Amino acid sequence: MQLVVARIGRAHGIKGEVTVEVRTDEPELRLGPGAVLATEPAHVGPLAIETGRVHSGRLLLRFEGVRDRTAAEALRNTLLIAEVDPAELPEDPDEFYDHQLMDLDVVLADGTEIGRITEISHLPSQDLFIVERPDGSEVMIPFVEEIVTGIDLDEQRVVITPPPGLIDDSEAVIASTRDTDEDEAEGGPEDDPARDSSGDAKKGDA
């Protein structure tokens, strides 16, 4: 299975280094020297990591064969993709790969159905589950231990204890994927080909 682990940013300096936007909680494993990564677009890669270091809080990488700023800048916005065994689990028990969480049913502690996870959004402060409800609308569930109280991969479900207003129909924070004119129409939201189920999701603190 292929997972997006980083996106290449701007060139740094004149010796071929680039900044990267990390999309994995295991950068030392996925983005260490010697790692060979596929790319999107595919013709740019594969890219082999030669060196890596942290500078001002950002990870800088240098790839084999990339020796100057011009070559580094040509890699900008390229996605780095790692091959991962589908059966592999993160070392942290509170961490999951996105593909493990996609399509899981989301229920309350009493079994009431809320919907299913269709997307995972990785924000700087926390991760969010984007949950499609039976009526086709979407609700955003913060992946924090106070709200997400249980994840059972065998039962394919996530148990949540939401605070008042998070999922209540009258007060829910809902991000509808349909245009306003279509709100009355039957059926769910259209599939978004830009959605990416790669990366890791980690339970955080509220």
Side-chain angles (χ1 to χ4, degrees):
M1 171 175 286
Q2 292 187 322
L3 298 179
V4 175
V5 293
R7 182 180 67 84
I8 297 176
R10 66 182 61 183
H12 179 85
I14 61 173
K15 296 182 179 181
E17 285 187 310
V18 295
T19 63
V20 293
E21 174 192 318
V22 177
R23 296 189 181 180
T24 173
D25 287 325
E26 300 173 308
E28 68 286 346
L29 174 64
R30 308 295 179 199
L31 300 170
V36 179
L37 302 167
T39 61
E40 177 58 44
H43 72 271
V44 175
L47 292 174
I49 297 176
E50 186 174 281
T51 63
R53 64 188 179 96
V54 176
H55 175 73
S56 299
R58 301 207 65 175
L59 179 61
L60 302 180
L61 298 180
R62 180 184 288 113
F63 300 100
E64 292 181 7
V66 179
R67 289 290 177 263
D68 57 42
R69 186 177 183 88
T70 299
E73 192 63 34
L75 299 175
R76 191 167 186 174
N77 292 324
T78 297
L79 297 178
L80 299 177
I81 302 170
E83 190 70 37
V84 178
D85 184 342
E88 181 181 337
L89 298 175
E91 295 182 0
D92 188 334
D94 287 331
E95 183 180 329
F96 300 86
Y97 293 129
D98 285 8
H99 71 268
Q100 296 176 292
L101 302 172
M102 293 293 292
D103 291 322
L104 294 191
D105 293 325
V106 179
V107 300
L108 299 180
D110 63 5
T112 300
E113 179 187 1
I114 301 302
R116 67 182 182 88
I117 297 174
T118 58
E119 184 181 351
I120 298 166
S121 179
H122 299 283
L123 303 179
S125 57
Q126 64 187 13
D127 295 324
L128 291 175
F129 293 157
I130 310 301
V131 177
E132 181 182 324
R133 307 193 71 177
D135 65 0
S137 63
E138 292 182 342
V139 61
M140 295 177 285
I141 307 294
F143 188 19
V144 296
E145 59 185 357
E146 290 82 1
I147 297 175
V148 179
T149 57
I151 295 177
D152 190 328
L153 296 181
D154 292 331
E155 295 293 329
Q156 291 287 286
R157 70 174 189 172
V158 174
V159 179
I160 65 171
T161 304
L166 183 63
I167 62 171
D168 303 85
D169 289 340
S170 61
E171 303 176 54
V173 179
I174 294 177
S176 175
T177 61
R178 296 173 296 174
D179 294 333
T180 303
D181 293 339
E182 297 174 342
D183 286 345
E184 300 287 330
E186 295 182 357
E190 297 179 356
D191 291 335
D192 183 354
R195 287 184 176 178
D196 183 4
S197 61
S198 305
D200 311 338
K202 186 172 183 179
K203 186 182 291 185
D205 299 318

Short mmCIF file of all heavy atoms in Angstrom, two decimals, residues 5-63:
data_model
loop_
_atom_site.label_atom_id
_atom_site.label_comp_id
_atom_site.label_asym_id
_atom_site.label_seq_id
_atom_site.Cartn_x
_atom_site.Cartn_y
_atom_site.Cartn_z
N VAL A 5 3.72 10.59 2.45
CA VAL A 5 4.39 10.88 3.72
C VAL A 5 4.93 12.31 3.79
O VAL A 5 5.31 12.77 4.87
CB VAL A 5 5.53 9.88 3.99
CG1 VAL A 5 4.96 8.49 4.22
CG2 VAL A 5 6.54 9.86 2.85
N ALA A 6 4.97 13.01 2.66
CA ALA A 6 5.47 14.39 2.69
C ALA A 6 5.19 15.07 1.35
O ALA A 6 4.94 14.41 0.34
CB ALA A 6 6.98 14.44 2.99
N ARG A 7 5.24 16.39 1.39
CA ARG A 7 5.17 17.20 0.17
C ARG A 7 6.38 18.12 0.16
O ARG A 7 6.68 18.77 1.15
CB ARG A 7 3.89 18.04 0.12
CG ARG A 7 3.76 18.87 -1.17
CD ARG A 7 2.48 19.69 -1.15
NE ARG A 7 2.51 20.72 -0.12
CZ ARG A 7 3.07 21.92 -0.28
NH1 ARG A 7 3.65 22.24 -1.44
NH2 ARG A 7 3.05 22.81 0.69
N ILE A 8 7.07 18.15 -0.96
CA ILE A 8 8.27 18.99 -1.06
C ILE A 8 7.88 20.45 -1.20
O ILE A 8 6.99 20.81 -1.99
CB ILE A 8 9.12 18.56 -2.27
CG1 ILE A 8 9.61 17.12 -2.07
CG2 ILE A 8 10.31 19.50 -2.45
CD1 ILE A 8 10.39 16.56 -3.24
N GLY A 9 8.55 21.29 -0.42
CA GLY A 9 8.30 22.73 -0.46
C GLY A 9 9.39 23.44 -1.26
O GLY A 9 9.94 22.92 -2.23
N ARG A 10 9.74 24.62 -0.80
CA ARG A 10 10.70 25.44 -1.54
C ARG A 10 12.13 24.98 -1.33
O ARG A 10 12.43 24.26 -0.37
CB ARG A 10 10.55 26.90 -1.11
CG ARG A 10 10.96 27.16 0.33
CD ARG A 10 10.74 28.61 0.70
NE ARG A 10 9.33 28.99 0.58
CZ ARG A 10 8.88 30.23 0.80
NH1 ARG A 10 9.74 31.19 1.11
NH2 ARG A 10 7.59 30.49 0.71
N ALA A 11 12.99 25.39 -2.23
CA ALA A 11 14.41 25.10 -2.10
C ALA A 11 14.98 25.87 -0.91
O ALA A 11 14.51 26.96 -0.56
CB ALA A 11 15.15 25.47 -3.38
N HIS A 12 15.99 25.29 -0.27
CA HIS A 12 16.64 25.94 0.87
C HIS A 12 18.14 26.02 0.58
O HIS A 12 18.81 25.00 0.44
CB HIS A 12 16.39 25.15 2.15
CG HIS A 12 17.06 25.74 3.36
ND1 HIS A 12 16.50 26.75 4.10
CD2 HIS A 12 18.26 25.47 3.94
CE1 HIS A 12 17.31 27.07 5.09
NE2 HIS A 12 18.39 26.31 5.02
N GLY A 13 18.64 27.24 0.48
CA GLY A 13 20.06 27.41 0.20
C GLY A 13 20.38 27.11 -1.26
O GLY A 13 19.50 27.08 -2.13
N ILE A 14 21.66 26.87 -1.52
CA ILE A 14 22.12 26.69 -2.91
C ILE A 14 22.70 25.31 -3.18
O ILE A 14 23.23 25.05 -4.26
CB ILE A 14 23.17 27.76 -3.27
CG1 ILE A 14 24.39 27.63 -2.36
CG2 ILE A 14 22.57 29.16 -3.18
CD1 ILE A 14 25.55 28.53 -2.75
N LYS A 15 22.59 24.40 -2.20
CA LYS A 15 23.24 23.10 -2.35
C LYS A 15 22.25 21.95 -2.56
O LYS A 15 22.61 20.78 -2.36
CB LYS A 15 24.14 22.82 -1.14
CG LYS A 15 25.29 23.81 -1.01
CD LYS A 15 26.18 23.48 0.16
CE LYS A 15 27.35 24.46 0.26
NZ LYS A 15 28.25 24.12 1.40
N GLY A 16 21.02 22.27 -2.94
CA GLY A 16 20.07 21.21 -3.29
C GLY A 16 19.11 20.78 -2.20
O GLY A 16 18.32 19.87 -2.41
N GLU A 17 19.15 21.40 -1.04
CA GLU A 17 18.22 21.03 0.02
C GLU A 17 16.83 21.60 -0.27
O GLU A 17 16.68 22.64 -0.92
CB GLU A 17 18.70 21.55 1.38
CG GLU A 17 19.85 20.77 1.98
CD GLU A 17 20.16 21.22 3.39
OE1 GLU A 17 20.30 22.45 3.58
OE2 GLU A 17 20.26 20.38 4.27
N VAL A 18 15.81 20.90 0.24
CA VAL A 18 14.43 21.37 0.12
C VAL A 18 13.75 21.27 1.48
O VAL A 18 14.09 20.42 2.30
CB VAL A 18 13.63 20.54 -0.91
CG1 VAL A 18 14.18 20.71 -2.30
CG2 VAL A 18 13.58 19.06 -0.52
N THR A 19 12.79 22.15 1.71
CA THR A 19 11.93 22.00 2.87
C THR A 19 10.85 20.99 2.52
O THR A 19 10.52 20.80 1.34
CB THR A 19 11.25 23.33 3.25
OG1 THR A 19 10.41 23.76 2.17
CG2 THR A 19 12.29 24.41 3.53
N VAL A 20 10.31 20.31 3.52
CA VAL A 20 9.23 19.36 3.27
C VAL A 20 8.12 19.56 4.29
O VAL A 20 8.37 19.87 5.45
CB VAL A 20 9.72 17.90 3.30
CG1 VAL A 20 10.67 17.60 2.17
CG2 VAL A 20 10.34 17.55 4.63
N GLU A 21 6.90 19.41 3.80
CA GLU A 21 5.73 19.39 4.66
C GLU A 21 5.48 17.93 5.04
O GLU A 21 5.09 17.12 4.22
CB GLU A 21 4.52 19.95 3.91
CG GLU A 21 3.21 19.84 4.67
CD GLU A 21 2.04 20.16 3.76
OE1 GLU A 21 2.14 21.12 2.97
OE2 GLU A 21 1.03 19.42 3.82
N VAL A 22 5.77 17.60 6.28
CA VAL A 22 5.68 16.20 6.74
C VAL A 22 4.23 15.79 6.91
O VAL A 22 3.43 16.50 7.52
CB VAL A 22 6.45 16.02 8.06
CG1 VAL A 22 6.31 14.58 8.57
CG2 VAL A 22 7.92 16.36 7.86
N ARG A 23 3.88 14.62 6.38
CA ARG A 23 2.53 14.10 6.50
C ARG A 23 2.52 12.72 7.15
O ARG A 23 1.68 11.89 6.86
CB ARG A 23 1.86 14.05 5.13
CG ARG A 23 1.67 15.43 4.50
CD ARG A 23 0.83 15.36 3.26
NE ARG A 23 0.67 16.66 2.64
CZ ARG A 23 -0.04 16.88 1.53
NH1 ARG A 23 -0.65 15.87 0.93
NH2 ARG A 23 -0.13 18.09 1.03
N THR A 24 3.47 12.47 8.00
CA THR A 24 3.54 11.22 8.74
C THR A 24 4.02 11.53 10.14
O THR A 24 4.78 12.48 10.35
CB THR A 24 4.49 10.21 8.07
OG1 THR A 24 4.64 9.07 8.92
CG2 THR A 24 5.87 10.83 7.83
N ASP A 25 3.56 10.73 11.11
CA ASP A 25 4.04 10.88 12.48
C ASP A 25 5.31 10.07 12.71
O ASP A 25 5.79 9.97 13.85
CB ASP A 25 2.96 10.44 13.48
CG ASP A 25 1.81 11.45 13.56
OD1 ASP A 25 2.09 12.65 13.43
OD2 ASP A 25 0.66 11.03 13.75
N GLU A 26 5.83 9.44 11.66
CA GLU A 26 7.05 8.65 11.77
C GLU A 26 8.09 9.13 10.76
O GLU A 26 8.58 8.34 9.94
CB GLU A 26 6.73 7.17 11.55
CG GLU A 26 5.72 6.61 12.55
CD GLU A 26 5.29 5.20 12.19
OE1 GLU A 26 4.88 4.98 11.05
OE2 GLU A 26 5.37 4.33 13.08
N PRO A 27 8.45 10.41 10.80
CA PRO A 27 9.40 10.92 9.80
C PRO A 27 10.76 10.27 9.89
O PRO A 27 11.44 10.10 8.87
CB PRO A 27 9.48 12.42 10.12
CG PRO A 27 9.05 12.53 11.55
CD PRO A 27 8.01 11.47 11.73
N GLU A 28 11.17 9.88 11.10
CA GLU A 28 12.48 9.23 11.23
C GLU A 28 12.50 7.88 10.53
O GLU A 28 13.56 7.41 10.10
CB GLU A 28 12.84 9.07 12.72
CG GLU A 28 11.99 8.09 13.50
CD GLU A 28 10.59 8.61 13.81
OE1 GLU A 28 10.34 9.81 13.67
OE2 GLU A 28 9.75 7.77 14.21
N LEU A 29 11.35 7.25 10.38
CA LEU A 29 11.25 5.96 9.69
C LEU A 29 11.02 6.15 8.20
O LEU A 29 11.67 5.51 7.36
CB LEU A 29 10.12 5.13 10.30
CG LEU A 29 9.78 3.81 9.61
CD1 LEU A 29 10.97 2.85 9.71
CD2 LEU A 29 8.52 3.19 10.23
N ARG A 30 10.10 7.02 7.84
CA ARG A 30 9.70 7.18 6.44
C ARG A 30 10.62 8.11 5.65
O ARG A 30 10.74 7.99 4.43
CB ARG A 30 8.27 7.73 6.36
CG ARG A 30 7.25 6.97 7.17
CD ARG A 30 7.05 5.57 6.65
NE ARG A 30 6.08 4.85 7.45
CZ ARG A 30 5.95 3.54 7.48
NH1 ARG A 30 6.76 2.79 6.75
NH2 ARG A 30 5.05 2.96 8.24
N LEU A 31 11.26 9.07 6.36
CA LEU A 31 12.01 10.11 5.66
C LEU A 31 13.47 10.16 6.09
O LEU A 31 14.10 11.22 6.06
CB LEU A 31 11.34 11.47 5.90
CG LEU A 31 9.88 11.59 5.41
CD1 LEU A 31 9.25 12.88 5.91
CD2 LEU A 31 9.83 11.52 3.89
N GLY A 32 14.00 9.04 6.50
CA GLY A 32 15.39 8.99 6.92
C GLY A 32 16.33 8.79 5.75
O GLY A 32 15.93 8.36 4.66
N PRO A 33 17.63 9.10 5.92
CA PRO A 33 18.62 8.88 4.86
C PRO A 33 18.60 7.43 4.38
O PRO A 33 18.51 6.50 5.17
CB PRO A 33 19.94 9.22 5.56
CG PRO A 33 19.54 10.21 6.62
CD PRO A 33 18.21 9.74 7.12
N GLY A 34 18.65 7.27 3.09
CA GLY A 34 18.60 5.94 2.50
C GLY A 34 17.22 5.53 2.02
O GLY A 34 17.10 4.59 1.22
N ALA A 35 16.17 6.20 2.48
CA ALA A 35 14.82 5.87 2.04
C ALA A 35 14.65 6.23 0.57
O ALA A 35 15.11 7.28 0.12
CB ALA A 35 13.79 6.62 2.89
N VAL A 36 14.00 5.36 -0.17
CA VAL A 36 13.71 5.60 -1.58
C VAL A 36 12.20 5.71 -1.72
O VAL A 36 11.46 4.79 -1.35
CB VAL A 36 14.25 4.46 -2.46
CG1 VAL A 36 13.91 4.73 -3.92
CG2 VAL A 36 15.75 4.31 -2.28
N LEU A 37 11.74 6.83 -2.25
CA LEU A 37 10.33 7.14 -2.27
C LEU A 37 9.82 7.33 -3.69
O LEU A 37 10.48 7.94 -4.53
CB LEU A 37 10.05 8.41 -1.46
CG LEU A 37 10.50 8.36 0.01
CD1 LEU A 37 10.48 9.76 0.61
CD2 LEU A 37 9.61 7.43 0.81
N ALA A 38 8.64 6.81 -3.94
CA ALA A 38 7.95 7.11 -5.19
C ALA A 38 7.43 8.54 -5.11
O ALA A 38 7.44 9.17 -4.05
CB ALA A 38 6.81 6.12 -5.41
N THR A 39 6.99 9.06 -6.24
CA THR A 39 6.56 10.46 -6.28
C THR A 39 5.28 10.62 -7.07
O THR A 39 4.88 9.76 -7.85
CB THR A 39 7.63 11.35 -6.93
OG1 THR A 39 7.83 10.91 -8.29
CG2 THR A 39 8.93 11.31 -6.16
N GLU A 40 4.63 11.74 -6.82
CA GLU A 40 3.50 12.19 -7.64
C GLU A 40 3.76 13.65 -7.98
O GLU A 40 3.79 14.49 -7.08
CB GLU A 40 2.19 12.05 -6.86
CG GLU A 40 0.96 12.56 -7.60
CD GLU A 40 0.73 11.87 -8.94
OE1 GLU A 40 0.86 10.64 -9.01
OE2 GLU A 40 0.45 12.60 -9.90
N PRO A 41 4.03 13.99 -9.25
CA PRO A 41 3.95 13.13 -10.43
C PRO A 41 5.06 12.07 -10.48
O PRO A 41 6.16 12.29 -9.99
CB PRO A 41 4.08 14.13 -11.58
CG PRO A 41 4.82 15.29 -11.00
CD PRO A 41 4.37 15.39 -9.58
N ALA A 42 4.70 10.93 -11.08
CA ALA A 42 5.57 9.76 -11.04
C ALA A 42 6.89 9.97 -11.77
O ALA A 42 7.93 9.41 -11.37
CB ALA A 42 4.84 8.56 -11.64
N HIS A 43 6.89 10.80 -12.82
CA HIS A 43 8.11 10.93 -13.62
C HIS A 43 9.24 11.64 -12.87
O HIS A 43 10.40 11.57 -13.28
CB HIS A 43 7.82 11.68 -14.93
CG HIS A 43 7.56 13.15 -14.75
ND1 HIS A 43 6.30 13.66 -14.51
CD2 HIS A 43 8.41 14.21 -14.75
CE1 HIS A 43 6.38 14.97 -14.40
NE2 HIS A 43 7.64 15.34 -14.53
N VAL A 44 8.92 12.31 -11.77
CA VAL A 44 9.95 13.01 -11.00
C VAL A 44 10.82 12.03 -10.23
O VAL A 44 12.00 12.27 -10.00
CB VAL A 44 9.29 14.01 -10.03
CG1 VAL A 44 10.33 14.67 -9.12
CG2 VAL A 44 8.52 15.07 -10.80
N GLY A 45 10.25 10.91 -9.84
CA GLY A 45 10.97 9.97 -9.00
C GLY A 45 11.36 8.70 -9.72
O GLY A 45 11.27 8.63 -10.96
N PRO A 46 11.80 7.71 -8.93
CA PRO A 46 11.87 7.74 -7.47
C PRO A 46 13.00 8.63 -6.97
O PRO A 46 13.96 8.89 -7.69
CB PRO A 46 12.12 6.27 -7.10
CG PRO A 46 12.84 5.71 -8.29
CD PRO A 46 12.24 6.40 -9.49
N LEU A 47 12.85 9.08 -5.72
CA LEU A 47 13.85 9.95 -5.11
C LEU A 47 14.44 9.24 -3.90
O LEU A 47 13.71 8.72 -3.05
CB LEU A 47 13.21 11.27 -4.67
CG LEU A 47 12.74 12.20 -5.78
CD1 LEU A 47 12.00 13.39 -5.18
CD2 LEU A 47 13.91 12.68 -6.64
N ALA A 48 15.75 9.24 -3.81
CA ALA A 48 16.46 8.63 -2.68
C ALA A 48 16.97 9.73 -1.77
O ALA A 48 17.64 10.67 -2.21
CB ALA A 48 17.62 7.77 -3.18
N ILE A 49 16.65 9.63 -0.49
CA ILE A 49 17.06 10.65 0.47
C ILE A 49 18.52 10.45 0.84
O ILE A 49 18.92 9.37 1.26
CB ILE A 49 16.18 10.59 1.73
CG1 ILE A 49 14.72 10.90 1.36
CG2 ILE A 49 16.69 11.59 2.78
CD1 ILE A 49 13.76 10.77 2.52
N GLU A 50 19.31 11.49 0.66
CA GLU A 50 20.73 11.45 0.98
C GLU A 50 21.00 11.94 2.39
O GLU A 50 21.74 11.32 3.16
CB GLU A 50 21.51 12.27 -0.03
CG GLU A 50 23.02 12.17 0.11
CD GLU A 50 23.73 12.89 -1.03
OE1 GLU A 50 23.83 12.31 -2.13
OE2 GLU A 50 24.17 14.04 -0.81
N THR A 51 20.43 13.09 2.73
CA THR A 51 20.61 13.65 4.07
C THR A 51 19.31 14.29 4.53
O THR A 51 18.44 14.65 3.73
CB THR A 51 21.72 14.72 4.11
OG1 THR A 51 21.34 15.83 3.28
CG2 THR A 51 23.05 14.16 3.64
N GLY A 52 19.20 14.44 5.84
CA GLY A 52 18.06 15.13 6.42
C GLY A 52 18.46 15.83 7.70
O GLY A 52 19.31 15.33 8.44
N ARG A 53 17.88 16.99 7.95
CA ARG A 53 18.17 17.71 9.18
C ARG A 53 17.01 18.66 9.47
O ARG A 53 16.23 19.01 8.58
CB ARG A 53 19.48 18.50 9.07
CG ARG A 53 19.48 19.63 8.04
CD ARG A 53 20.87 20.23 7.87
NE ARG A 53 20.89 21.29 6.87
CZ ARG A 53 20.80 22.59 7.17
NH1 ARG A 53 20.69 22.99 8.43
NH2 ARG A 53 20.85 23.50 6.20
N VAL A 54 16.90 19.05 10.73
CA VAL A 54 15.86 20.00 11.14
C VAL A 54 16.47 21.38 11.26
O VAL A 54 17.52 21.55 11.91
CB VAL A 54 15.22 19.56 12.47
CG1 VAL A 54 14.20 20.61 12.93
CG2 VAL A 54 14.54 18.21 12.33
N HIS A 55 15.84 22.35 10.64
CA HIS A 55 16.32 23.73 10.68
C HIS A 55 15.14 24.65 10.98
O HIS A 55 14.16 24.65 10.23
CB HIS A 55 16.97 24.13 9.35
CG HIS A 55 17.39 25.56 9.27
ND1 HIS A 55 18.48 26.06 9.94
CD2 HIS A 55 16.84 26.62 8.59
CE1 HIS A 55 18.60 27.34 9.69
NE2 HIS A 55 17.62 27.71 8.87
N SER A 56 15.22 25.40 12.07
CA SER A 56 14.15 26.33 12.47
C SER A 56 12.79 25.63 12.52
O SER A 56 11.78 26.19 12.10
CB SER A 56 14.10 27.53 11.51
OG SER A 56 15.31 28.25 11.55
N GLY A 57 12.79 24.40 13.01
CA GLY A 57 11.54 23.67 13.19
C GLY A 57 11.01 22.99 11.95
O GLY A 57 9.95 22.38 12.00
N ARG A 58 11.75 23.06 10.83
CA ARG A 58 11.31 22.43 9.59
C ARG A 58 12.32 21.38 9.15
O ARG A 58 13.53 21.54 9.32
CB ARG A 58 11.13 23.45 8.48
CG ARG A 58 10.14 24.55 8.80
CD ARG A 58 9.51 25.11 7.55
NE ARG A 58 8.70 24.12 6.85
CZ ARG A 58 7.98 24.40 5.77
NH1 ARG A 58 7.98 25.62 5.27
NH2 ARG A 58 7.26 23.46 5.18
N LEU A 59 11.81 20.30 8.58
CA LEU A 59 12.68 19.25 8.08
C LEU A 59 13.22 19.63 6.71
O LEU A 59 12.47 20.02 5.81
CB LEU A 59 11.90 17.93 7.98
CG LEU A 59 12.68 16.72 7.45
CD1 LEU A 59 13.87 16.39 8.35
CD2 LEU A 59 11.76 15.52 7.29
N LEU A 60 14.54 19.51 6.56
CA LEU A 60 15.20 19.76 5.28
C LEU A 60 15.76 18.44 4.77
O LEU A 60 16.40 17.70 5.53
CB LEU A 60 16.33 20.77 5.44
CG LEU A 60 15.98 22.15 6.01
CD1 LEU A 60 17.25 23.01 6.09
CD2 LEU A 60 14.93 22.84 5.15
N LEU A 61 15.52 18.14 3.50
CA LEU A 61 16.04 16.93 2.88
C LEU A 61 16.90 17.29 1.67
O LEU A 61 16.67 18.29 1.01
CB LEU A 61 14.90 16.02 2.41
CG LEU A 61 13.95 15.47 3.47
CD1 LEU A 61 12.90 14.59 2.81
CD2 LEU A 61 14.69 14.69 4.55
N ARG A 62 17.88 16.43 1.41
CA ARG A 62 18.63 16.50 0.16
C ARG A 62 18.54 15.13 -0.50
O ARG A 62 18.72 14.11 0.16
CB ARG A 62 20.09 16.88 0.38
CG ARG A 62 20.88 16.95 -0.93
CD ARG A 62 22.36 17.22 -0.73
NE ARG A 62 22.62 18.59 -0.31
CZ ARG A 62 23.09 18.94 0.88
NH1 ARG A 62 23.34 18.01 1.78
NH2 ARG A 62 23.31 20.20 1.18
N PHE A 63 18.23 15.12 -1.78
CA PHE A 63 18.07 13.87 -2.51
C PHE A 63 19.30 13.60 -3.37
O PHE A 63 19.97 14.53 -3.83
CB PHE A 63 16.83 13.92 -3.41
CG PHE A 63 15.55 14.16 -2.65
CD1 PHE A 63 14.99 15.42 -2.60
CD2 PHE A 63 14.92 13.12 -1.98
CE1 PHE A 63 13.82 15.65 -1.90
CE2 PHE A 63 13.75 13.33 -1.27
CZ PHE A 63 13.20 14.61 -1.22
#
